[in-house]
Amino acid sequence: MVYKIAVLPGDGIGPEIVSEAVKVLQACAQKFGLTFKFREAPVGGAVIEAAGHPLPEETVALCRKSDAVLLGAIGGPQWDHLPVERRPEAGALLPLRQKLGLFANLRPVILYEALIDASPLKREIVEGTEILVIRELTGGLYFGEKKRQKIPGGEQATDTLVYTTPEIERIGRLAFESASKRRKVLHSVDKANVLESSRLWREVMDRLHDQYPDVELIHMYVDNAAMQLVRQPRQFDVIVTENMFGDILTDQASVLTGSIGMLASASIGGKVALYEPAHGSAPDIAAQNKANPLATILSAALMLRYSFNHEKAAAAIEKAVAQVLDDGYRTPDIMQPGCRMAGTVEIGDRVVEELLAL
Ligand code: IPM
Ligand code: MG
């Protein structure tokens, strides 16, 4: 079996973190007798000049005919002034998610033992955290109608928050299924005291709950969820929420793990899934061998788990990462006293070494 992986390095630290993840996947291939065929394609700001657009047709075509997509990060201040459809985020990342039908973004918030004291939150608070955030990814404010119009005194800008019953049902079902395989606690996060879309969201979740009686369903307002996440994160098992709330809450939740540089993600729902770190392109530290590649490496583990059904290889990557952290190697974002500062490449090399030694 040959697995075809589309590799989209993107902008900023994208290329360097993706190289490390590819290196780790190659080590997995060697260890587990798998065959990966990597094909690279351009995406994001870096390709706007050459292609006139941040998401060339050929890149989408390559993704569609691959078995999975590995993406680094896109965007940077030099492209922020462009019209919205040509900006890397709105012109490439969001359409790519939509074109591939990736309606569910899974962001596992896993705290590695060695990093308990790397979080700015107290050990007693973060210890034992293990949350799966399921963020709806192709609806809500991100994709609703947007407009601007002139009005006396200036302009009026509108973003629309739209959700339909089928959209909520499919993400809800996935969340209940996931929770039923875990600790069976599902927090559905909304703002039903204010938003109509959240009231529909709540109704659909309640209806679905009838089919999953063994899962405890807890509705929580998003403001309260933001507070509970840093107050008592252990109460959460699976969180399901709409696109924008999920974007915000996962950046917040990443701090429980030590750094956003640790947060992996899998965007699933279509034929071809996409794996990318939850963080951005960090242009300020690009090409300095300072970026933490672990979120991307852990995203590669999710690829093995969800797209290739190879739990053994996925778990091996996660174990190798834990070992590297136990041995004290740290990129600057998770540096702690007594640990050894390591660059992007060295972290990748260490993970490979541990993986092959398992
Ligand atoms: C993320 C990012 C993106 C998002 C940006 C880059 C458009 O923040 O994947 O969380 O908001 O979805
Ligand atoms: Mg985000």
Side-chain angles (χ1 to χ4, degrees):
M1 180 85 192
V2 178
Y3 296 111
K4 289 178 283 180
I5 303 176
V7 179
L8 278 45
D11 304 316
I13 58 170
E16 48 197 305
I17 53 179
V18 159
S19 299
E20 298 314 306
V22 167
K23 199 155 88 181
V24 171
L25 281 168
Q26 271 156 344
C28 270
Q30 183 185 333
K31 188 170 177 75
F32 296 97
L34 302 165
T35 309
F36 297 130
K37 219 167 114 194
F38 297 99
R39 281 197 52 198
E40 205 175 299
V43 71
V47 75
I48 295 177
E49 264 165 49
H53 196 272
L55 184 62
E57 264 313 309
E58 306 82 73
T59 298
V60 180
L62 176 71
C63 292
R64 285 195 205 279
K65 62 178 194 211
S66 300
D67 296 307
V69 182
L70 179 68
L71 187 140
I74 61 170
Q78 64 269 54
W79 304 294
D80 284 351
H81 65 280
L82 292 173
V84 63
E85 65 286 354
R86 290 181 63 214
R87 282 183 59 162
E89 296 87 348
L93 188 56
L94 304 188
L96 185 62
R97 289 170 176 170
Q98 193 179 39
K99 281 173 200 281
L100 297 177
L102 308 173
F103 67 86
N105 183 222
L106 312 186
R107 296 189 164 175
V109 181
I110 295 167
L111 173 60
Y112 283 84
E113 192 72 33
L115 294 185
I116 295 181
D117 295 310
S119 171
L121 293 165
K122 292 195 197 92
R123 166 179 276 268
E124 313 83 90
I125 300 224
V126 298
E127 216 169 12
T129 295
E130 215 204 307
I131 307 170
L132 175 64
V133 182
I134 303 185
R135 166 189 177 194
E136 202 291 327
L137 201 60
T138 51
L141 278 173
Y142 278 60
F143 291 93
E145 195 199 339
K146 297 170 189 303
K147 62 178 189 228
R148 284 250 201 153
Q149 65 195 112
K150 299 249 182 289
I151 55 158
E155 283 184 274
Q156 176 176 282
T158 313
D159 293 282
T160 332
L161 205 178
V162 186
Y163 271 108
T164 62
T165 307
E167 281 175 318
I168 304 168
E169 264 168 10
R170 64 184 180 180
I171 193 84
R173 199 161 281 125
L174 182 78
F176 276 107
E177 294 286 343
S178 305
S180 66
K181 291 182 202 126
R182 294 170 51 111
R183 284 191 286 126
K184 301 185 171 34
V185 182
L186 176 62
H187 282 81
S188 172
V189 172
D190 64 34
K191 189 70 187 175
N193 47 350
V194 177
L195 301 176
E196 200 52 44
S197 55
S198 284
R199 286 190 276 274
L200 179 62
W201 181 281
R202 219 173 244 231
E203 284 164 28
V204 173
M205 290 294 162
D206 278 332
R207 274 206 301 274
L208 280 175
H209 190 203
D210 294 340
Q211 297 166 37
Y212 300 90
D214 58 327
V215 174
E216 184 187 359
L217 172 66
I218 300 166
H219 296 290
M220 194 178 260
Y221 295 139
V222 63
D223 48 352
N224 185 26
M227 191 255 288
Q228 297 298 339
L229 260 178
V230 289
R231 196 184 76 89
Q232 210 193 90
R234 274 188 300 273
Q235 70 188 283
F236 297 105
D237 176 18
V238 179
I239 295 175
V240 64
T241 190
E242 68 93 42
N243 204 345
M244 177 80 133
F245 295 159
D247 177 47
I248 298 168
L249 291 180
T250 48
D251 264 38
Q252 183 177 344
S254 76
V255 173
L256 301 163
T257 72
S259 153
I260 194 162
M262 296 301 299
L263 202 68
S265 97
S267 301
I268 64 170
K271 247 177 64 208
V272 183
L274 177 131
Y275 299 85
E276 56 170 325
H279 59 70
S281 58
D284 54 320
I285 56 159
Q288 293 170 45
N289 197 29
K290 281 185 184 163
N292 185 347
L294 291 176
T296 319
I297 291 172
L298 292 168
S299 300
L302 296 180
M303 177 188 290
L304 288 161
R305 175 169 295 131
Y306 296 125
S307 283
F308 306 152
N309 219 347
H310 208 302
E311 177 56 34
K312 241 169 122 180
I317 294 182
E318 289 161 354
K319 205 160 167 205
V321 167
Q323 191 57 52
V324 171
L325 294 170
D326 284 346
D327 291 344
Y329 293 98
R330 301 280 189 277
T331 41
D333 59 316
I334 46 174
M335 189 56 191
Q336 291 168 267
C339 287
R340 207 192 124 173
M341 188 83 92
T344 312
V345 176
E346 192 184 354
I347 293 285
D349 288 342
R350 293 279 159 255
V351 174
V352 165
E353 207 170 285
E354 293 300 339
L355 182 84
L356 295 176
L358 278 177

